[in-house]
Amino acid sequence: MTTKIWAASALLTGGWADSVEITIDDDGNIDGIAPDTVRVSGERVELLLPAMPNVHSHAHQRAMAGLGERASASADSFWTWRKVMYHYLERIQPQHLYHIAAQLYVEMLKAGYGCVGEFQYLHHDIDGSAYQSRAEMSLQCMSAARDVGLGFTALPVLYRYGGFGAAPPLDGQKRFLNETGGFIDIVETLQQASAGDANCAVGIAPHSLRAIDQGLLAEVIAGLDDLAAIHIHIAEQTREVDDCIAWSGLRPVEWLFEHFDVGPDWCLVHATHLDDTETARMAASGCIAGLCPTTEANLGDGFFNAVDYFERHGSWAIGSDSHISIDPVEELRWLEYGVRLQTRRRNVLASPTTANTGRNLFAAALAGGARACGRSIGSIQPGYRADFVVLDCDHPRLYGRNRDELIDSWIFSGNDNLVRDVYIGGRKLIENGHHADEDAIARNYRATLDQLAA
Ligand code: NGQ
Ligand code: ZN
């Protein structure tokens, strides 16, 4: 059965269109788009936008969001937060991860995210031994996404060392570790599990330059086919940059470009500390900067070099990372507010062709996010997934606004959630702000937290 949606206004690949009839095929792909069409049948919506990809998530951290905010005796930092996080994940077992991820993924859908890049590194049992399937934990995340209906790009994490120069791993990292063969097994298991599912893709995520060495990553890349994307944390903290220079004489992004063929299928997550040459190199390569402004603020990372990167037409995307905020609005807003506070100017991340800041940010994050997830999403055009968001245009924040103003007002005017409905692969999963299974999922989440606290 073919589904039809009729939108009074829709943001298509080429720009705004009115009275648009969208036909969706049985597989959940957009089949036809007919602007200026009188509505005959199909569900009527006011404003239809592509759903936003969320390119960076560590699902397990959803359960500890807010628990890293208590000052310790020493000066708190990214690294002290990491200790708290490592301690928290010590007890998480597969069924816990499933319920945490299901809750998280419902929250993502409700916020208007349509796909998640799950950067999953909690592979093994508590003592570091492999589960019966090495892919057990990543499969739990994949199942949660499929059950909830969220698009999913699995990014199983390659993790082998505790620091630059093949330093031995820390005790708290034993659940993360794999050699080449074990890691390839995880990726291939995920590829088999998702074969034929148009809502799923599989890439890889070397955790960071701290966690891999050149030979290991080269071997893994050579040993795998059909990867949706390669994601890596990079240059997030100044200490990481200093350690990289001390080890190799090169800055992290510099090192990566010298040793790997970084191109449009790479997503460099955070990339907070770039010099001018690195910024230019990233922009020219076509890789995606995976920006997570709320987590980067929360962890005290610093500011991404956005002004220069935007001037150089660099690609980028957003992620909710540690899940202290699950909201594309907040990520886009804080990206712009960061540069306003730094430059003491306004509308800094608008562009010569798109003067409306919110619209410019939204469109760029859709395009970069789709590519970083390695899927045909983020764009309303034939052949792409029917992943849509419908906003509540009667809400006082949006009422009376038109086209680009709607997106600007959504992103820059307040905090209540304006996402009314969300479709993934043509299925309406969020209706009037609710997911059909949200109560059961929330109950399981609470029971999981009780178990972890016991
Ligand atoms: C992570 N998260 O792997 O969850 C990291 C922290 C690390 C962020 N970088 C740990 N936001 O980088 O070693
Ligand atoms: Zn991360």
Side-chain angles (χ1 to χ4, degrees):
M1 198 188 70
T2 310
T3 310
K4 272 198 182 119
I5 298 175
W6 186 93
S9 180
L11 184 60
L12 307 181
T13 308
W16 292 102
D18 294 329
S19 306
V20 190
E21 186 183 78
I22 295 171
T23 319
I24 300 159
D25 70 18
D26 288 343
D27 299 325
N29 295 316
I30 299 168
D31 200 23
I33 296 176
D36 305 313
T37 302
V38 177
R39 177 173 174 261
V40 189
S41 62
E43 177 150 18
R44 183 192 194 284
V45 303
E46 200 57 39
L47 171 71
L48 197 73
L49 305 172
M52 179 60 68
N54 179 347
V55 304
H56 194 64
S57 162
H58 306 292
H60 69 271
Q61 291 173 16
R62 170 64 187 85
M64 59 158 291
L67 296 182
E69 312 301 323
R70 185 184 159 87
S72 60
S74 55
D76 282 317
S77 68
F78 175 92
W79 306 102
T80 59
W81 168 84
R82 190 173 82 158
K83 276 196 195 130
V84 175
M85 190 268 287
Y86 279 5
H87 183 66
Y88 194 86
L89 61 73
E90 267 167 18
R91 302 193 58 192
I92 297 178
Q93 287 287 7
Q95 76 279 10
H96 300 135
L97 186 60
Y98 173 86
H99 293 305
I100 294 166
Q103 173 65 27
L104 171 67
Y105 296 162
V106 167
E107 291 171 349
M108 285 185 188
L109 280 174
K110 285 183 167 191
Y113 286 122
C115 178
V116 64
E118 184 55 56
F119 198 113
Q120 207 297 111
Y121 55 84
L122 196 50
H123 297 301
H124 307 311
D125 208 339
I126 290 162
D127 62 0
S129 62
Y131 289 112
Q132 199 172 0
S133 164
R134 298 186 78 86
E136 173 70 32
M137 294 293 256
S138 295
L139 287 168
Q140 294 293 339
C141 292
M142 184 181 274
S143 299
R146 285 168 131 178
D147 292 348
V148 162
L150 181 68
F152 189 76
T153 296
L155 297 167
V157 172
L158 178 63
Y159 209 117
R160 173 67 186 81
Y161 302 108
F164 290 102
L170 306 171
D171 193 47
Q173 294 166 338
K174 61 179 176 293
R175 301 189 72 181
F176 316 163
L177 308 175
N178 283 294
E179 304 288 346
T180 308
F183 182 72
I184 287 182
D185 180 27
I186 293 176
V187 180
E188 290 181 343
T189 304
L190 292 167
Q191 285 177 327
Q192 280 156 21
S194 60
D197 182 346
N199 285 332
C200 277
V202 180
I204 58 168
H207 179 275
S208 53
L209 297 184
R210 292 175 268 125
I212 55 119
D213 64 18
Q214 187 189 351
L216 175 68
L217 180 55
E219 211 170 74
V220 161
I221 292 174
L224 288 164
D225 293 319
D226 301 323
L227 292 178
I230 303 175
H231 290 221
I232 185 167
H233 289 126
I234 200 137
E236 182 176 8
Q237 285 277 318
T238 51
R239 187 176 111 187
E240 187 179 16
V241 177
D242 295 344
D243 289 352
C244 188
I245 294 170
W247 161 64
S248 68
L250 299 174
R251 301 170 58 81
V253 169
E254 209 179 358
W255 188 94
L256 189 67
F257 275 85
E258 290 300 320
H259 295 89
F260 287 92
D261 186 14
V262 180
D265 53 338
W266 283 69
C267 178
L268 275 49
V269 180
H270 307 308
T272 315
H273 299 288
L274 302 178
D275 68 15
D276 293 345
T277 313
E278 289 172 310
T279 308
R281 225 165 159 180
M282 265 183 71
S285 76
C287 78
I288 316 284
L291 307 177
C292 311
T294 62
T295 292
E296 287 152 15
N298 187 277
L299 297 180
D301 290 342
F303 290 108
F304 175 72
N305 198 0
V307 178
D308 191 15
Y309 193 70
F310 274 54
E311 274 166 11
R312 293 175 180 280
H313 306 287
S315 297
W316 58 277
I318 54 167
S320 62
D321 192 348
S322 66
H323 313 306
I324 39 87
S325 170
I326 302 163
D327 187 354
V329 167
E330 238 200 327
E331 302 306 334
L332 296 176
R333 182 186 295 169
W334 279 103
L335 182 59
E336 168 72 16
Y337 280 179
V339 290
R340 287 191 194 185
L341 289 163
Q342 286 175 288
T343 61
R344 288 176 274 161
R345 285 163 40 207
R346 300 192 71 254
N347 297 324
V348 191
L349 301 179
S351 76
T353 49
T354 309
N356 288 72
T357 306
R359 158 75 195 278
N360 195 47
L361 291 169
F362 187 72
L366 286 173
R371 192 144 53 74
C373 289
R375 301 186 49 233
S376 298
I377 53 173
S379 178
I380 304 183
Q381 60 173 305
Y384 277 59
R385 300 298 291 161
D387 294 1
F388 309 129
V389 163
V390 175
L391 298 184
D392 177 7
C393 293
D394 290 332
H395 191 283
R397 275 170 59 199
L398 298 189
Y399 191 78
R401 304 291 196 262
N402 198 19
R403 299 194 158 189
D404 288 357
E405 293 169 356
L406 279 161
I407 301 189
D408 286 354
S409 298
W410 181 28
I411 292 170
F412 291 106
S413 78
N415 295 313
D416 25 18
N417 186 0
L418 302 184
V419 174
R420 221 191 59 184
D421 306 325
V422 179
Y423 297 77
I424 301 296
R427 282 171 62 212
K428 194 185 205 176
L429 296 175
I430 302 297
E431 182 155 11
N432 252 322
H434 294 286
H435 187 284
D437 301 329
E438 65 185 30
D439 291 339
I441 288 169
R443 257 195 314 278
N444 288 329
Y445 176 76
R446 289 193 295 269
T448 298
L449 286 194
D450 289 344
Q451 286 167 24
L452 290 172

